[in-house]
Amino acid sequence: MAEKQLVKSKKASADLEEYAPPPRKEKAPPKLTAEEIAERRAAQEKYGRGEKVNLKVVKDKKLRGNLKKLELRYRDAALQAKDSELLLQEEAGFIQTEGMERTFKLSQEELKKEVDLATAQKSFELKLPTFGPYYIDYTRTGRYLLIGGRKGHVAAFDWREGKLLSEVHHRETVRDVKWLHNESFYAVSQKKYVYIYDTQGVEIHKLDKHIEVLHMEFLPYHFLLATVGNAGYLKYQDTSTGKLVAEIPTRLGTPTAMTQNKYNAIIHIGHGRGTVSLWSPNSTTPLVKLLTNKGPVTSIAIDREGRYMVTGGQDKKMSIWDLRMYKELHYYLTPAPPAVLDISDTGLLGVGWSTHVTVWKDALRTRQRQPYMTHHAPGSQINDLRFCPFEDVLGYGHEEGLGSLVIPGAGEANFDALEVNPYESKKERRETEVKLLLNKLQPDMISLDPDHIGQMDRRSEAVKKHEQDAEEQKMDKAPEKEKNKMRGKNSAGKRYIRKMKKRNIMDEKRLKYEMARDEKQRQRAGLPSAAEKLGPALARFTRPPLKA
């Protein structure tokens, strides 16, 4: 019986093998034509994310598969971005010349006659000789303009429609003006402190920690207002929470220029000894220090991609630096020290020197012999200069007011409405503000390489172990003993405050201690409290003094 069952099972298995489907053959990847290969290469060069990961080095099978899928997604994303160029109908147009014509000889009056009426209206001149010289700043959408005169005149308006939002005379020195995340708030650096105002010109906050501020920059993705004052302290204020994030002494004297790198949110500060230092809120020492000029640095500008930096100094030299190698590429000489520099989204370089405004085209990568466009403001020194986002407009402030120039090709022709929308409504502006707050980046993420998060650590195990052992040896060393201070200055609270000051950390305990110290000093001096100043009606809304 057993032999018969074995024979039957063999027959059944043979029948199954007979009717079983043939094994599937893996499809070979389709052969690409020369045009498709060229298209993929162009998409990778323009929209790619760097070099591909060498999958042969990865030993883990699961990790290798995940990295392979990720590389395929990156390739498809680059191809889709390349294909979407068909939908971009606008192109940046520059002035075209024929024969012996030169673009820099074309004046604004001649240009107005050749362009349409809407574009011609963007070129204007406002004469305000009483309260100058003027500082200017555009919002990220390029719709609103903020101006500030040195003698206290501050105004915000929609420059396209000519609609005034607010106008205030502070009757004290104004050193700089800066829009915050949108047109709802702006900061003004006045004689001693920095104040924040709303659209109607009403004072919202007084930043008494920022004293005698000379330059301001706002980091939109971190909601940080960076300021540097006459004493050389770089301070970061979180405008969403109101906290002081960092307070860093530069120890390089009074700063002469400041700007931000929009690619990695690093602050660049120019100094009187011809150096430019790079700062982040995570380090008390400069990340990089460059000797750019033989005299004081007067102005700094960085392009949108964060690749090139332009510096101007009192030595009448305008240097072009490659920030990827920290190497000087070439330089230009100006008839007078460049007072202000700015770079447009399309790479045009604007220079303000003496009473002249000069715009250079393709001046970053290669050295140019002649400028793209020029303008002269007779009898009025140029004080500030800014390119308007998404517009072929260059705004400048001078001693007798401000002006706006039409510079063909200066603005980005196609904008991403999900990132910055110059035609957004009130509802869209509110939604954008909520999204920015939800996606807010922490100050700890600011570094020279913003792509370091998510990258693979390709160092060998020996190098990692060596660094780990070095860190452990540092931790094992005995901590330095603090010297005993005089009576009254060796308490636990005082020691803790000294320790935090060394580390440059502002925490809740230190803030409470400082508030309690100020309260004690006020009581010793016999000054009235905040509740007594406000009166009996508003005294119940004041907070009691915090205990250290």
Side-chain angles (χ1 to χ4, degrees):
M1 291 293 292
E3 291 178 358
K4 289 180 180 180
Q5 288 178 357
L6 183 62
V7 171
K8 286 181 180 180
S9 64
K10 286 183 178 179
K11 286 182 179 180
S13 62
D15 293 340
L16 287 173
E17 289 177 359
E18 232 179 279
Y19 294 102
R24 292 183 179 180
K25 294 182 180 180
E26 294 185 0
K27 293 183 179 180
K31 293 183 179 180
L32 301 175
T33 62
E35 294 180 357
E36 292 176 343
I37 293 173
E39 186 179 354
R40 287 193 176 187
R41 190 174 299 167
Q44 183 67 24
E45 289 178 358
K46 192 170 183 180
Y47 300 103
R49 304 199 180 188
E51 298 180 0
K52 294 183 179 180
V53 179
N54 188 6
L55 300 177
K56 296 180 180 179
V57 181
V58 182
K59 296 180 181 179
D60 190 353
K61 187 176 180 181
K62 186 176 180 180
L63 178 61
R64 187 166 60 248
N66 291 335
L67 290 174
K68 187 176 181 180
K69 291 179 182 177
L70 193 63
E71 290 295 333
L72 291 175
R73 289 178 185 174
Y74 287 163
R75 187 196 66 186
D76 295 340
L79 289 172
Q80 289 176 5
K82 183 69 176 175
D83 294 338
S84 65
E85 289 182 353
L86 296 172
L87 303 175
L88 305 179
Q89 300 179 359
E90 302 294 336
E91 293 183 1
F94 296 92
I95 300 176
Q96 302 294 332
T97 58
E98 296 179 355
M100 299 294 291
E101 294 178 347
R102 296 292 181 266
T103 57
F104 64 87
K105 293 184 178 181
L106 186 66
S107 66
Q108 288 292 308
E109 297 299 329
E110 295 173 347
L111 188 62
K112 283 182 184 180
K113 298 176 183 178
E114 304 297 332
V115 298
D116 58 283
L117 182 61
T119 305
Q121 289 178 351
K122 295 176 183 177
S123 177
F124 58 87
E125 183 79 20
L126 290 180
K127 291 292 184 180
L128 302 168
T130 309
F131 303 103
Y134 276 84
Y135 302 92
I136 67 170
D137 188 36
Y138 290 97
T139 55
R140 295 179 66 206
T141 59
R143 184 172 180 179
Y144 296 94
L145 175 63
L146 177 66
I147 64 173
R150 180 71 61 83
K151 297 177 183 177
H153 177 217
V154 177
F157 56 94
D158 186 343
W159 69 273
R160 291 177 184 167
E161 300 179 359
K163 182 181 178 182
L164 183 66
L165 300 180
S166 65
E167 185 177 11
V168 183
H169 291 268
H170 295 290
R171 297 183 181 179
E172 65 177 6
T173 305
V174 170
R175 295 189 176 93
D176 199 4
V177 291
K178 184 64 63 177
W179 286 109
L180 299 187
H181 56 280
N182 55 25
E183 67 275 10
S184 301
F185 303 99
Y186 61 87
V188 179
S189 171
Q190 295 177 208
K191 185 176 181 180
K192 189 173 182 182
Y193 302 115
V194 174
Y195 296 85
I196 295 179
Y197 300 90
D198 65 356
T199 314
Q200 305 301 322
V202 179
E203 181 183 329
I204 303 297
H205 296 289
K206 173 186 172 183
L207 307 180
D208 53 1
K209 297 288 184 182
H210 303 255
I211 302 172
E212 295 182 355
V213 169
L214 299 176
H215 307 282
M216 296 189 296
E217 286 291 335
F218 183 74
L219 310 179
Y221 298 103
H222 305 80
F223 277 81
L224 291 178
L225 179 65
T227 66
V228 63
N230 195 27
Y233 278 81
L234 175 62
K235 300 179 182 180
Y236 290 85
Q237 185 86 26
D238 193 328
T239 58
S240 63
T241 61
K243 293 183 178 179
L244 187 66
V245 175
E247 183 178 352
I248 306 169
T250 59
R251 298 187 178 90
L252 293 170
T254 302
T256 55
M258 183 173 106
T259 190
Q260 64 163 309
N261 189 339
K262 296 178 181 179
Y263 175 67
N264 52 17
I266 295 294
I267 296 294
H268 294 232
I269 300 179
H271 305 280
R273 296 183 179 180
T275 59
V276 174
S277 55
L278 280 62
W279 299 86
S280 81
N282 309 314
S283 175
T284 56
T285 57
L287 304 176
V288 180
K289 200 173 175 183
L290 303 171
L291 180 62
T292 59
N293 296 84
K294 296 181 180 178
V297 178
T298 56
S299 54
I300 311 172
I302 303 171
D303 69 331
R304 187 175 60 176
E305 288 80 13
R307 298 177 181 175
Y308 300 100
M309 178 180 70
V310 185
T311 62
Q314 287 288 349
D315 55 355
K316 303 178 183 180
K317 179 183 176 183
M318 189 172 63
S319 303
I320 313 296
W321 288 74
D322 191 336
L323 291 177
R324 294 166 290 183
M325 302 181 291
Y326 300 110
K327 179 182 177 182
E328 185 181 4
L329 301 178
H330 48 270
Y331 65 89
Y332 300 86
L333 295 177
T334 57
V340 60
L341 300 168
D342 195 29
I343 300 175
S344 71
D345 292 337
T346 56
L348 295 183
L349 172 61
V351 186
W353 54 274
S354 185
T355 59
H356 297 264
V357 176
T358 308
V359 180
W360 295 80
K361 179 184 174 185
D362 300 330
L364 302 179
R365 296 183 180 179
T366 57
R367 182 180 172 84
Q368 301 296 321
R369 294 184 177 180
Q370 59 188 17
Y372 175 56
M373 292 191 74
T374 58
H375 179 72
H376 180 47
S380 186
Q381 293 281 339
I382 303 299
N383 187 60
D384 202 359
L385 180 143
R386 291 286 183 273
F387 281 100
C388 181
F390 309 111
E391 292 283 355
D392 292 344
V393 170
L394 172 64
Y396 65 96
H398 52 90
E399 290 182 347
E400 296 183 356
L402 66 144
S404 178
L405 306 176
V406 175
I407 308 295
E412 181 66 39
N414 302 284
F415 60 89
D416 185 0
L418 298 177
E419 176 67 19
V420 179
N421 186 5
Y423 304 101
E424 64 184 2
S425 61
K426 288 185 178 180
K427 185 178 179 181
E428 290 173 340
R429 179 178 59 80
R430 292 168 186 165
E431 291 177 356
T432 304
E433 189 172 0
V434 173
K435 288 179 182 178
L436 284 173
L437 286 169
L438 291 174
N439 298 327
K440 173 188 165 186
L441 301 178
Q442 296 300 318
D444 301 340
M445 300 178 69
I446 297 177
S447 63
L448 286 173
D449 184 13
D451 298 327
H452 73 283
I453 299 175
Q455 288 184 349
M456 292 180 59
D457 191 357
R458 301 183 181 181
R459 297 176 299 173
S460 62
E461 293 294 334
V463 175
K464 292 180 184 177
K465 190 175 180 181
H466 178 71
E467 291 184 359
Q468 188 176 1
D469 294 342
E471 289 181 1
E472 289 178 356
Q473 289 178 3
K474 288 182 181 179
M475 296 296 291
D476 293 339
K477 287 183 179 180
E480 297 181 2
K481 293 183 179 180
E482 290 191 1
K483 296 180 180 179
N484 291 328
K485 300 287 182 178
M486 60 191 302
R487 181 185 293 179
K489 294 191 177 181
N490 203 31
S491 62
K494 294 290 182 71
R495 289 200 306 271
Y496 178 79
I497 295 302
R498 288 199 297 269
K499 184 179 179 182
M500 291 298 104
K501 281 185 178 179
K502 285 182 180 179
R503 296 183 181 180
N504 193 30
I505 297 174
M506 294 291 293
D507 60 350
E508 188 176 357
K509 190 173 180 181
R510 179 177 171 184
L511 290 173
K512 285 182 178 180
Y513 180 84
E514 289 183 354
M515 291 177 69
R517 182 193 61 191
D518 295 341
E519 184 69 19
K520 288 180 181 178
Q521 290 178 356
R522 184 194 59 75
Q523 291 177 0
R524 288 174 185 172
L527 298 174
S529 63
E532 293 173 355
K533 285 183 180 179
L534 294 173
L538 300 176
R540 58 195 181 97
F541 296 106
T542 59
R543 294 181 180 178
L546 298 171
K547 296 181 180 180

